[in-house]
Amino acid sequence: MKTNNSTYILAIESSCDDTGVAILHNDKVLCNVVANQEIHSQYGGVVPELASRAHQQNIVPVVAQALKQAGIDKKQLNAIAFTKGPGLMGSLLVGSSFAKSMALALNIPLIGVNHMQAHILAHFINDDSQQKPPFPFLCLTISGGHTQIVKITDHFTMEVIGETIDDAVGEAFDKSAKILGLPYPGGPLVDKHAQLGNPNAYIFTKPKTKNSLDFSFSGLKTAILYFIQKQVKENPNFIEENLNDICASIQFTITTILMDKLKKAVKQTGIKHIAIAGGVSANSEIRKVLKKAENKYNWTTYIPKFEYTMDNAAMIGIVGYYKYLDEQFDDLGITASARMKF
Ligand code: KG4
Ligand code: ZN
């Protein structure tokens, strides 16, 4: 284990549709720049070919902006970290190729990072507004591509104890939003409307899965579709007249599914330190219910700072930092991996 007490890491995140570059000094974030790609909203979802092209356009100016914001010279960097996977292959290739070239040019170590591990270790970023969970803890990792309950024993030992067998929870939000005519990504919009609606207005049945800790969301999406089609047939204005109540009911159903599984996971493992991670953990209802669980079930919950929940490069940087201390470096032969597991 290295004991350097001054390490600068530049991290690149390009797994999906946002180009992120962060610079960390040890476990502190000096800058966390994200260039969002607006282009996809008109297509109702991320178009992989357009995403990789936009990454190519963004990567050089975003790296330059990050160095400027952090106020450091690239010669001060100790390592380059990048997202190896999982994600969209074309997008990952842009980030990994750039990271390799930069590490080669500066003659510093290259560190490939698992995106899902990064969502979890975002909790270890040294920031006054968040608390680091102690080991072992459970993490509900919820994003547009993943839904998992993970048992974390140390920074590098993570075991998936439950996961979705079909759609991810972010997809459940986004597809429901699409049915309601809301633009992509619909999750934040469902959240916004839900705050003004009645969560008990409509009841959607919860799915059953074989393994008690696994999730399934494709049935819910179909149930919502049939329900909306039926209602719109009777009243063409049904959606606009009841949008807030529909969103609140969908959000309530999804939150209840997540909480039921978490309760089971706590029962099975005996672990009561619960963290959330991933883009969907920005959801206000999920945050609220989890906070309430502290008193209700005697859990300690860890909710990351908003900017570290969505895809961002700071979370890649913190994994890079721990791997740097552990001297877990990659050579230039490393390749991106679209379906990377822990
Ligand atoms: O982690 P993330 O930024 O990207 C992936 O790795 O997938 O997660 C994006 C997902 C999208 O599905 C988006 O709709 C969802 O997170 N999301 C939300 C909210 N904010 C983002 N879903 C529900 N409520 C929110 N407030
Ligand atoms: Zn993500």
Side-chain angles (χ1 to χ4, degrees):
M1 173 81 71
K2 271 190 195 275
T3 48
N4 270 25
N5 53 14
S6 181
T7 305
Y8 289 100
I9 296 199
L10 182 140
I12 298 171
E13 151 61 28
S14 71
S15 65
C16 191
D17 59 338
D18 294 329
T19 317
V21 177
I23 297 175
L24 273 73
H25 181 226
N26 299 333
D27 57 358
K28 282 201 166 159
V29 177
L30 299 182
C31 70
N32 188 22
V33 185
V34 184
N36 300 111
Q37 300 181 4
E38 297 299 333
I39 183 112
H40 307 285
S41 68
Q42 58 187 297
Y43 298 99
V46 175
V47 184
E49 190 52 34
L50 294 178
S52 52
R53 280 186 215 171
H55 282 303
Q56 266 175 332
Q57 284 175 351
N58 290 341
I59 191 92
V60 173
V62 176
V63 166
Q65 194 187 336
L67 284 164
K68 199 171 161 205
Q69 262 189 32
I72 65 159
D73 187 272
K74 55 184 182 302
K75 291 198 183 83
Q76 288 174 266
L77 296 171
N78 296 91
I80 307 289
F82 70 97
T83 307
K84 174 174 158 54
L88 300 171
M89 198 50 172
S91 295
L92 291 168
L93 283 172
V94 177
S96 59
S97 311
F98 192 89
K100 282 188 207 181
S101 325
M102 206 165 170
L104 180 68
L106 296 171
N107 195 23
I108 53 176
L110 176 69
I111 302 170
V113 170
N114 180 313
H115 180 92
M116 299 312 293
Q117 182 187 13
H119 269 302
I120 296 171
L121 291 193
H123 285 277
F124 291 84
I125 291 170
N126 188 346
D127 190 303
D128 291 344
S129 60
Q130 60 177 30
Q131 209 193 337
K132 296 180 188 181
F135 300 118
F137 68 96
L138 296 179
C139 188
L140 176 67
T141 308
I142 41 182
S143 72
H146 298 270
T147 304
Q148 300 175 328
I149 299 178
V150 186
K151 182 180 161 189
I152 296 99
T153 326
D154 63 48
H155 294 115
F156 304 116
T157 315
M158 304 188 173
E159 183 196 353
V160 177
I161 57 172
E163 64 187 328
T164 184
I165 56 168
D166 42 55
D167 288 352
V169 66
E171 281 179 284
F173 271 107
D174 295 338
K175 288 178 180 175
S176 304
K178 197 173 178 183
I179 295 169
L180 301 174
L182 299 171
Y184 177 87
L189 295 168
V190 171
D191 189 354
K192 195 173 133 218
H193 288 287
Q195 288 174 36
L196 304 169
N198 171 9
N200 299 308
Y202 309 105
I203 309 289
F204 300 108
T205 44
K206 290 197 239 68
K208 288 201 167 49
T209 48
K210 228 169 161 191
N211 174 346
S212 68
L213 294 185
D214 281 344
F215 301 89
S216 167
F217 288 104
S218 67
L220 177 65
K221 169 193 67 195
T222 314
I224 293 166
L225 177 67
Y226 289 164
F227 169 78
I228 296 293
Q229 281 175 342
K230 186 166 168 271
Q231 298 295 327
V232 167
K233 227 182 223 170
E234 287 164 22
N235 170 12
N237 298 325
F238 177 76
I239 296 178
E240 52 196 75
E241 282 170 14
N242 301 286
L243 188 58
N244 294 343
D245 285 350
I246 304 168
C247 288
S249 303
I250 293 171
Q251 184 165 286
F252 175 77
T253 310
I254 292 176
T255 308
T256 312
I257 295 170
L258 296 174
M259 285 305 288
D260 285 351
K261 298 291 180 179
L262 262 185
K263 280 187 260 175
K264 281 189 183 145
V266 170
K267 208 169 162 195
Q268 268 188 32
T269 60
I271 298 170
K272 290 190 168 187
H273 289 281
I274 313 293
I276 47 169
V280 184
S281 60
N283 183 269
S284 61
E285 180 68 15
I286 297 172
R287 288 178 166 240
K288 202 161 71 194
V289 170
L290 215 58
K291 210 70 228 140
K292 271 195 200 151
E294 295 216 315
N295 283 332
K296 208 166 163 190
Y297 309 120
N298 202 18
W299 297 356
T300 312
T301 60
Y302 303 85
I303 301 175
K305 194 176 176 184
F306 196 76
E307 65 176 287
Y308 305 141
T309 61
M310 306 291 283
D311 284 352
N312 68 88
M315 67 182 196
I316 305 301
I318 191 73
V319 182
Y321 173 65
Y322 283 111
K323 285 192 150 185
Y324 183 85
L325 292 181
D326 208 34
E327 298 187 33
Q328 295 184 36
F329 303 140
D330 291 292
D331 60 40
L332 293 171
I334 184 176
T335 50
S337 167
R339 297 191 171 276
M340 188 177 184
K341 299 235 183 249
F342 283 124

